[in-house]
Amino acid sequence: MVFLDAATGVLASRTGTVTLDLGTGSVAEILTAVYATVPTAVERIYITAGEPWLRNAERHQFLKDAVAEWLNGPLPQDWKVEASRGKDRQAGHLVHPRNPVGRWQRGDQHTEIRSVGEWFDAEGADPVTVRTAFIELWRALRRHWDDVVLMGSPSQTGRDLWARTIPAKAGSKWADGFPVMSQEIRGLLHATAGQGRTELIKPPRVPEQVPGWYESDRTFAYAKHTWTSGVGVPQRVTAAAFAAMTAKEQANALFSPSHWQVRVTIPQDWNHVGLLPAPAPASTSGDRPWHYPFEGGRTFTTWAGGAEINLALRNPIQPWRIEILDGLVWEKGDPLKDWSNKLKDAWRSLRAVADVHGDGQQRQAARLASRAVRSILLYGIGTFAQRSRITTGSIELGTNGEVPEIPDGAKLTGLSDTHVTWERNAGFARDQYAHPEWAAGVWSAARAALLSGPTGAKDPDTGKPARAGALHLPAGSILAFRTDAIYSSVRPDWPYSGEPGDYLLKGALPWEQNTPTTDEEFYDLQSLGRQALEAERS
């Protein structure tokens, strides 16, 4: 691996640091400059800054078109777009607006150009520091996996590390592997189990002006919810079967790894945020297929995980009425526990170095490496979802601008002066990593904890673990949710010990603000809040 700042031309590799002349930053110029400098084969060129694939973005309506144009630009002699690779590797380019992957080959040699943004935000770190971060990441992981290999992306690395953890389960009930769900169950989970909660709460639900802006983010949140998962073939529980259970049996079913279709009625006098996801109306969903009904007295039907159903029934404000219509209940197991514990240990060790090391560059490298561990777990869990495979590709236009024939079943997604870009849904791949039930369980538990969950501190009145989350802030104070973060108009006072799942205050503007009504306004306030808190702490 080599690390390249495409803005300055600085390249860091095992042989040292040099500054390259990249010209206009085309693929041909980057490949030529790197191979004129690095004497050995380069499998991956990580771009740390500069985003060369967006160099002509102003000429295109969509960023993906600019990326496709860059990926498909002229190549040096003997180079071509990659056609095939070995086991567990992909061929061809991935056209993504921010973190694309370009794959080329020259003879038997294969080289990728990727964004380091897949792993972490480099925060202006120079290529040497970024390379050091990857070395520290490898060292931290090697303490648990002697044969660790850093693959191209954190998702690939996470899946590979999980596969290397499984032999430790020899002798268990699932020593021969965990059953893969039927295509019907996988399809149901893909259609009804969303990921993180993304919601912007606008006036008139909240005032047009608020007394402040505060961002509270759950540290390494998904790692908190991997101690148990559903394994084996699930038991279907119909409405009649659930009604026939005793109260204890019903509670056991709801607290087991499970996924339920329910009819929900919100209390008439409810005045806080919504608790359960529901399919968004087609006219308002845009690219967000889920919303969170909150109106008192409203009834709706949806699917949700057991963690969220329990939260709705036992929330700290007022229980919602839940009618079970159908459900799937799995046996309890811990297929992610060993893998997650090892990643958490690596994360903690890197965080410790980032806190105490005497060298500033090493501190920054350790901090970036700890964020890479977070990405390995976060995106590794996502790979278990194994959604239907979307393949992309591009074809050069004819000499007179004619649009060429694209593969059967594909649809056009972009058009530049020289190429068309297409996308095709290739369906589900049935393999040992296809476990959407695990991903769905983690996501559901994380969404529930975003509303109410235990902290590491004790409640002085009850002696029980203190709780934190959106429902522990005043009604009308929640302004937005972003996966593991809550944005509010009042400053949360929640204990923070640095453990997975704890809320960390990441941004603060303790003065009156206009409530954001667009994503652009939201991200502006997010950035300003983080800058203001950093200045306050320094």
Side-chain angles (χ1 to χ4, degrees), residues 443-530:
W443 295 338
S444 175
R447 289 194 300 268
L450 198 62
L451 298 168
S452 180
T455 68
K458 296 289 185 181
D459 186 311
D461 296 326
T462 66
K464 296 179 179 180
R467 300 185 73 84
L471 296 182
H472 300 275
L473 293 174
S477 67
I478 307 301
L479 305 177
F481 294 97
R482 283 297 187 277
T483 308
D484 300 322
I486 298 171
Y487 298 82
S488 60
S489 59
V490 298
R491 188 172 188 136
D493 184 24
W494 298 327
Y496 181 74
S497 62
E499 285 299 300
D502 284 355
Y503 279 95
L504 173 66
L505 188 67
K506 291 186 66 175
L509 295 171
W511 54 81
E512 192 172 81
Q513 303 291 329
N514 291 326
T515 302
T517 58
T518 66
D519 285 348
E520 290 75 15
E521 292 173 355
F522 165 84
Y523 287 116
D524 284 345
L525 276 181
Q526 182 191 66
S527 177
L528 290 171
R530 292 177 180 181

Side-chain angles (χ1 to χ4, degrees), residues 54-341:
L54 297 181
R55 60 184 186 147
N56 291 324
E58 71 282 352
R59 293 170 41 191
H60 299 274
Q61 183 178 2
F62 302 106
L63 292 181
K64 288 183 71 172
D65 292 341
V67 173
E69 179 186 60
W70 183 81
L71 290 170
N72 292 294
L75 295 173
Q77 187 176 3
D78 299 329
W79 284 89
K80 63 180 181 179
V81 176
E82 181 181 73
S84 63
R85 296 193 82 174
K87 182 181 178 182
D88 206 28
R89 304 201 178 205
Q90 296 176 308
H93 303 319
L94 171 64
V95 181
H96 186 279
R98 293 297 178 187
N99 297 315
V101 180
R103 302 181 177 100
W104 297 271
Q105 66 183 91
R106 180 173 60 179
D108 293 333
Q109 181 178 338
H110 301 263
T111 297
E112 295 179 337
I113 296 180
R114 312 183 70 114
S115 169
V116 79
E118 293 181 89
W119 294 85
F120 47 71
D121 179 357
E123 297 182 337
D126 60 70
V128 173
T129 303
V130 173
R131 181 175 183 273
T132 303
F134 274 79
I135 293 171
E136 292 304 314
L137 171 65
W138 179 81
R139 287 174 175 166
L141 295 176
R142 194 170 183 269
R143 286 196 287 270
H144 298 287
W145 291 280
D146 291 339
D147 52 354
V148 60
V149 175
L150 293 184
M151 305 183 79
S153 69
S155 59
Q156 291 172 308
T157 304
R159 188 177 72 171
D160 182 67
L161 293 178
W162 178 78
R164 296 169 191 267
T165 308
I166 294 306
K169 305 292 289 185
S172 73
K173 180 178 179 180
W174 310 107
D176 293 331
F178 299 96
V180 174
M181 299 298 101
S182 68
Q183 186 157 321
E184 290 76 17
I185 292 178
R186 291 172 61 191
L188 172 69
L189 290 170
H190 289 313
T192 61
Q195 194 172 351
R197 180 169 181 166
T198 298
E199 184 179 16
L200 184 62
I201 300 175
K202 309 174 186 178
R205 287 181 61 186
V206 292
E208 292 185 356
Q209 288 191 320
V210 290
W213 168 270
Y214 301 92
E215 177 186 3
S216 302
D217 184 74
R218 294 187 71 218
T219 298
F220 205 15
Y222 284 6
K224 180 79 171 179
H225 307 293
T226 52
W227 62 276
T228 186
S229 301
V231 292
V233 178
Q235 174 190 357
R236 184 181 178 193
V237 179
T238 64
F242 188 84
M245 291 179 178
T246 65
K248 182 178 181 180
E249 289 172 336
Q250 289 181 348
N252 287 341
L254 290 173
F255 278 101
S256 294
S258 53
H259 192 62
W260 302 93
Q261 185 184 33
V262 291
R263 184 179 293 113
V264 184
T265 301
I266 304 174
Q268 195 69 42
D269 55 351
W270 185 261
N271 67 347
H272 219 295
V273 297
L275 304 185
L276 295 174
S283 59
T284 61
S285 63
D287 60 353
R288 294 175 185 164
W290 301 97
H291 71 150
Y292 293 80
F294 63 92
E295 303 90 344
R298 178 173 176 177
T299 296
F300 62 97
T301 299
T302 191
W303 284 84
E308 291 167 287
I309 300 299
N310 279 306
L311 185 282
L313 289 168
R314 299 169 177 83
N315 74 78
I317 297 176
Q318 187 178 5
W320 284 22
R321 180 182 173 189
I322 305 293
E323 180 185 354
I324 299 295
L325 304 178
D326 207 345
L328 297 172
V329 179
W330 283 267
E331 180 182 338
K332 289 183 180 179
D334 58 359
L336 302 177
K337 185 177 178 180
D338 288 351
W339 171 76
S340 175
N341 284 343

